[in-house]
Amino acid sequence: MTMLVVYTTLPEAESARHMAQMLVERGLVACAQMDTIDSIYRWDGAIQHDHEYRVMLKTTSDRYPAVEAFIREHHPYELPAIYAIPVTHAWAPYAEWVAG
């Protein structure tokens, strides 16, 4: 089992907090952190610039399918960013806490 950091972005602070809260309450992630970001991206052939909220979720590779499914089901975007980065090094007690 690998520790993962899963990222997604949401349009408002309230929706980011709500998504994070639901994922932690359901035991799908150990922790969620949010920060504000400025995003510049191409969508429907035009350059967009938006303020968004990036949510960083700490979980495991075993739980990733459920985390992704939950985000897809509850996300307001047509094509949400959902991606994971494996954690190759972590303090063992912390990694154990994330694994639950």
Side-chain angles (χ1 to χ4, degrees), residues 48-85:
Q48 307 290 325
H49 180 218
D50 289 309
H51 295 287
E52 294 183 294
Y53 294 82
R54 179 175 38 221
V55 182
M56 181 175 71
L57 305 159
K58 298 166 189 175
T59 192
T60 63
S61 55
D62 292 350
R63 284 186 248 154
Y64 179 81
V67 171
E68 180 187 299
F70 186 89
I71 294 170
R72 288 175 42 217
E73 181 180 340
H74 294 92
H75 207 288
Y77 289 167
E78 178 182 341
L79 180 65
I82 308 169
Y83 56 95
I85 299 171

Side-chain angles (χ1 to χ4, degrees), residues 8-13 16 34-37 51-55:
T8 192
T9 54
L10 289 128
E12 303 99 17
M34 296 150 288
D35 57 337
T36 58
I37 59 172
H51 295 287
E52 294 183 294
Y53 294 82
R54 179 175 38 221
V55 182

